[in-house]
Amino acid sequence: MDYHKQEQTFIKYMLCTHLYQEKARECNRLEGELRREKNISRQLEELVKLYKSLAKYGAIYVNTYSQDCDGVESYSSSVYSSIEEYYQCEKDFAESVEGSCSWEIVSKKDARPQEECGSFGQGWGIN
């Protein structure tokens, strides 16, 4: 009798373990799908921003900030006349940064004035 109860307990344990593993795999699959959907949603939101900017201003305005490995900070504002040009320059920017950075689509009035653009700082002074 005692052996029979142990056997039933073991079988229940194995069934529960199997069920848990199946549910864990399903959760992982669904989480992956959700991440993909969120990524697609972010891409579509950015694309809508780009088209709105082109429709409203005839161009895409972007403010950027970057800090190089020596701590020198750079601020700039750029104007792009097409989505293709925008994506190419965004890619080039991403490949060139060495430290913290930002790339922000802005309105024409929020584009950084030329006098606020440039590089500032002397670096970390590492010799």
Side-chain angles (χ1 to χ4, degrees), residues 43-118:
Q43 290 172 353
L44 290 174
E45 286 174 8
E46 181 180 78
L47 200 53
V48 167
K49 255 184 171 178
L50 296 175
Y51 279 112
K52 279 184 176 180
S53 183
L54 283 172
K56 188 171 185 175
Y57 308 113
I60 301 165
Y61 293 84
V62 175
N63 286 342
T64 62
Y65 162 81
S66 65
Q67 185 179 53
D68 71 11
C69 61
D70 294 327
V72 175
E73 297 178 310
S74 296
Y75 298 85
S76 69
S77 189
S78 303
V79 181
Y80 305 105
S81 57
S82 72
I83 290 175
E84 293 78 17
E85 179 186 17
Y86 167 87
Y87 280 129
Q88 182 59 51
C89 292
E90 181 185 40
K91 179 181 174 229
D92 294 344
F93 177 78
E95 291 174 354
S96 71
V97 295
E98 299 173 344
S100 45
C101 65
S102 68
W103 174 278
E104 182 183 14
I105 300 168
V106 296
S107 67
K108 185 175 183 177
K109 86 175 177 65
D110 291 331
R112 190 173 281 123
Q114 205 57 34
E115 58 272 6
E116 292 179 17
C117 296

Side-chain angles (χ1 to χ4, degrees), residues 16-39:
C16 286
T17 301
H18 180 71
L19 182 61
Y20 170 77
Q21 289 171 344
E22 284 182 19
K23 294 300 179 187
R25 281 192 290 276
E26 180 69 7
C27 284
N28 288 338
R29 185 186 67 75
L30 291 172
E31 286 173 350
E33 284 183 28
L34 182 60
R35 277 191 300 275
R36 282 188 293 281
E37 293 298 324
K38 284 182 178 179
N39 189 33

Side-chain angles (χ1 to χ4, degrees), residues 3-19:
Y3 174 75
H4 185 67
K5 282 185 180 180
Q6 286 178 344
E7 185 179 38
Q8 286 180 339
T9 302
F10 179 72
I11 291 170
K12 287 179 186 176
Y13 169 77
M14 293 303 290
L15 289 173
C16 286
T17 301
H18 180 71
L19 182 61

